[in-house]
Amino acid sequence: MLSIAFLLFALVSAKYIIPGGRWYDTSGSILNAHAGCIVLSNGTFWLFGEYKTQGQIEGGGIAVYSSPDLATWTPHGLALTPVAGHSYISPENIIQRPKVVWSEESRKWHMHWHADNAAYGLLLQGLAESSRIQGPYTFVRATTPLGNWSQDFGLFTDYKSHKSYSLYSNGDRKEARDVYITAYDNSNSNLTSIVHRFPKYDLEAPTVLQTDSSYFALMSHKTGYRPNNVVAFRADHLSGPWSQPYFIAPPYTRTYNSQSGFTLRIAGTQATTHLYIGDQWDSNSLWESRYIWLPLTIGTTASGTERVGLEWHDVYDLDVRTGVVRGVNGTAYYAADAEVAGDAELQEATFTATGVIATGIAGNSSTVTFGGVQGSGGEQWVSFYYQNTDDMGFGDQPGGSPDRVGGAWALRRISGVVVNGRGEEVQTLYQRDTHKGVVLSAPLKLRLEKGANRITVGGLWNGVDVKGADLDRIVVYPVEEG
Ligand SMILES: *[C@@H]1O[C@H](CO)[C@@H](O)[C@H](O)[C@H]1NC(C)=O
Ligand SMILES: *[C@@H]1O[C@H](CO)[C@@H](O)[C@H](O)[C@H]1NC(C)=O
Ligand SMILES: *[C@@H]1O[C@H](CO)[C@@H](O)[C@H](O)[C@H]1NC(C)=O
Ligand SMILES: *[C@@H]1O[C@H](CO)[C@@H](O)[C@H](O)[C@H]1NC(C)=O
Ligand SMILES: *[C@@H]1O[C@H](CO)[C@@H](O)[C@H](O)[C@H]1NC(C)=O
């Protein structure tokens, strides 16, 4: 009885996409495909990405998953397996940002990626091929793109001309710091000519998306694994002229704590949706970095120019057949109405809806408890709206170094979340830094009883401190209607 109920729940709730959540594949393992790409083939979506484990964050090969709906993912192992002693795909190599494209001429799937040594001294593009989309892929070669360097790698296929293009930043050297759009030959094997160079913007992680009348190039700044404000350029033609760049998400959200890398176009029966496939890198534990997938909105300025933006949803449902994105509404519970204990307190904060925020959340005794939280009796997504002001560092750092608390990299506070006093089931909530006065949300899947629940938030050790971030509210999402 219990397992049937659980199975039903798993089936009906499978379609939600929860940016920043812990995503599991159909075998129950954490989804492990970083800096990935998604290819639609014959009605199935295929996700390729860097496979990372705690012991091996680079050179782990390329994982592949399949999905009918972009929300349930079946693992198919490694599409590209590292080969010991190999010059380019050994476990000691960098095998990053894979992109997969069909080659009509060779009747094979081609995988291209950023191929490098551990010191990022080669700056090459790799090519591997397979007759089946899920692989296994066989290494062909690693080359310089028309004699240049190549670091963060992307690939774009024009849906009108069906031509494909290599996108790459040419690295961090002073002579470089460009991003290139370069055309492939008809077999999507070799590069033929540079279509555009974005000169000296010093950007990386490029991706291009296309509407009926525009091309948008999205790229991030270079701040390592710390997220920043991703920018977009617009043009009528891939060769330009390209517009000035601008932020795609509200300033200071650091693109909702994510980095660009890929976009997926879903041409549905009712709408065409462009999905931003971003990475929420966690430099403290790269192997468990999360994913920020969100719909991009294409608006028009007063002068009639198309403009792209990123739209936040805690939870949404994307119908891949119709192309329609449906935001899911939850029920909010405010810290202003919650019980604070120990040194936790409400502090004036004009940037929240209630004018206060709960601060001083730490350890097991300085907590905030939300009472009367209505549950459906099962696992539900709950979003925690928080502020983490560690971004400017503490006074002991000359000039205030970002993300340092007491001299150590922090990047995130960690809260412990306990439902109905079940202390043995404490859940770990990572709360990455925001700016001061910027409230972002982080999701957790919690087991709620039917009826009223108590959700208690304390602070867990993050390597430096036991403080949780400041809390504005929580939002509880329904299990999906059948
Ligand atoms: C497409 O899917 C159908 C149904 O699963 C299958 O019979 C067919 O072989 C597939 N075609 C290709 C090209 O993979
Ligand atoms: C390589 O990159 C440098 C710096 O961007 C540029 O000046 C040069 O023209 C590029 N060479 C080729 C062949 O693309
Ligand atoms: C691509 O370039 C390689 C050399 O780097 C060459 O051996 C190969 O024939 C080329 N392929 C095509 C389709 O031109
Ligand atoms: C969610 O809430 C908004 C604002 O109250 C409302 O306009 C919208 O229709 C709701 N959406 C759903 C799917 O219930
Ligand atoms: C909180 O309680 C747990 C056990 O419930 C314990 O392991 C942990 O050390 C406590 N943390 C603090 C900061 O006291």
Side-chain angles (χ1 to χ4, degrees):
M1 187 62 206
L2 206 121
S3 66
I4 289 170
F6 177 77
L7 187 67
L8 279 177
F9 173 80
L11 286 177
V12 297
S13 68
K15 276 170 64 195
Y16 286 166
I17 297 178
I18 296 88
R22 275 199 176 89
W23 295 357
Y24 292 91
D25 66 24
T26 53
S27 77
S29 298
I30 281 228
L31 191 79
N32 195 334
H34 304 278
C37 73
I38 298 173
V39 180
L40 175 61
S41 170
N42 201 16
T44 297
F45 294 96
W46 295 88
L47 167 68
F48 299 84
E50 299 167 21
Y51 183 78
K52 296 185 186 298
T53 58
Q54 182 158 10
Q56 179 145 30
I57 58 168
E58 299 294 350
I62 303 302
V64 56
Y65 296 81
S66 67
S67 175
D69 58 10
L70 294 174
T72 34
W73 291 97
T74 302
H76 299 277
L78 292 179
L80 182 70
T81 304
V83 177
H86 195 281
S87 305
Y88 303 107
I89 57 166
S90 82
E92 284 72 46
N93 282 107
I94 293 286
I95 309 170
Q96 289 180 350
R97 299 191 178 274
K99 303 293 175 296
V100 170
V101 65
W102 174 247
S103 169
E104 185 60 36
E105 215 170 271
S106 68
R107 306 289 302 163
K108 286 194 168 124
W109 293 93
H110 287 186
M111 179 187 285
H112 299 270
W113 71 94
H114 167 206
D116 221 321
N117 60 17
Y120 291 85
L122 301 176
L123 298 170
L124 303 174
Q125 292 182 8
L127 168 65
E129 58 181 25
S130 172
S131 50
R132 300 192 318 159
I133 188 166
Q134 66 267 48
Y137 284 76
T138 308
F139 180 86
V140 178
R141 61 179 162 262
T143 50
T144 60
L146 302 179
N148 225 312
W149 302 301
S150 180
Q151 196 157 313
D152 275 6
F153 177 79
L155 191 148
F156 165 69
T157 301
D158 190 305
Y159 73 79
K160 292 178 183 167
S161 70
H162 306 291
K163 271 196 72 65
S164 292
Y165 301 84
S166 176
L167 318 169
Y168 48 97
S169 65
N170 60 351
D172 304 335
R173 299 182 204 187
K174 203 169 160 198
E175 321 86 275
R177 302 182 184 173
D178 305 313
V179 170
Y180 283 87
I181 300 177
T182 301
Y184 281 104
D185 59 14
N186 288 334
S187 76
N188 289 333
S189 303
N190 295 339
L191 296 173
T192 57
S193 59
I194 292 168
V195 173
H196 184 75
R197 174 169 80 113
F198 293 91
K200 305 299 169 202
Y201 285 103
D202 207 11
L203 298 169
E204 64 181 4
T207 177
V208 167
L209 64 121
Q210 178 184 18
T211 67
D212 285 346
S213 51
S214 296
Y215 296 90
F216 292 98
L218 272 48
M219 304 170 204
S220 82
H221 297 85
K222 287 182 181 166
T223 48
Y225 285 113
R226 298 183 65 236
N228 57 61
N229 296 295
V230 167
V231 296
F233 301 77
R234 196 206 68 83
D236 293 338
H237 308 280
L238 277 179
S239 55
W242 287 87
S243 75
Q244 284 283 324
Y246 56 88
F247 293 170
I248 62 166
Y252 300 109
T253 65
R254 299 191 179 101
T255 327
Y256 306 114
N257 270 325
S258 75
Q259 184 178 37
S260 50
F262 192 70
T263 42
L264 177 67
R265 179 174 179 270
I266 299 149
T269 54
Q270 289 174 34
T272 296
T273 289
H274 299 273
L275 209 56
Y276 168 90
I277 306 295
D279 292 283
Q280 185 166 72
W281 298 115
D282 187 330
S283 58
N284 291 329
S285 47
L286 270 184
W287 66 94
E288 56 172 343
S289 295
R290 315 284 176 86
Y291 313 97
I292 299 286
W293 295 2
L294 285 170
L296 288 152
T297 53
I298 312 290
T300 310
T301 65
S303 55
T305 307
E306 277 191 325
R307 192 184 156 89
V308 68
L310 196 61
E311 187 176 275
W312 178 259
H313 294 279
D314 287 341
V315 176
Y316 65 96
D317 180 32
L318 168 57
D319 185 330
V320 296
R321 195 182 52 81
T322 62
V324 172
V325 172
R326 186 178 62 91
V328 176
N329 286 346
T331 305
Y333 299 86
Y334 291 89
D337 306 320
E339 302 158 30
V340 288
D343 292 334
E345 57 171 344
L346 295 175
Q347 193 177 7
E348 178 180 310
T350 51
F351 49 87
T352 71
T354 57
V356 294
I357 200 162
T359 190
I361 297 166
N364 292 336
S365 52
S366 294
T367 58
V368 176
T369 298
F370 299 85
V373 175
Q374 292 302 307
S376 312
E379 290 193 306
Q380 285 173 256
W381 286 100
V382 178
S383 283
F384 294 76
Y385 279 75
Y386 71 93
Q387 170 194 240
N388 170 354
T389 59
D390 292 343
D391 61 289
M392 294 309 285
F394 282 179
D396 57 350
Q397 289 299 306
S401 287
D403 299 323
R404 278 170 202 248
V405 179
W409 286 97
L411 244 189
R412 49 170 156 79
R413 303 270 185 102
I414 306 179
S415 279
V417 177
V418 170
V419 178
N420 297 328
R422 296 193 304 256
E424 69 285 3
E425 283 179 39
V426 59
Q427 292 249 16
T428 303
L429 177 71
Y430 291 169
Q431 297 160 311
R432 304 174 55 97
D433 56 355
T434 64
H435 281 272
K436 293 173 176 64
V438 172
V439 173
L440 294 173
S441 70
L444 271 188
K445 203 177 213 181
L446 298 178
R447 187 163 65 82
L448 300 183
E449 305 294 334
K450 195 170 174 56
N453 291 264
R454 288 169 64 76
I455 297 181
T456 301
V457 183
L460 290 181
W461 179 247
N462 68 356
V464 180
D465 208 343
V466 291
K467 283 204 201 85
D470 302 333
L471 266 191
D472 170 36
R473 65 190 188 278
I474 64 173
V475 180
V476 180
Y477 287 92
V479 289
E480 191 172 5
E481 329 79 66

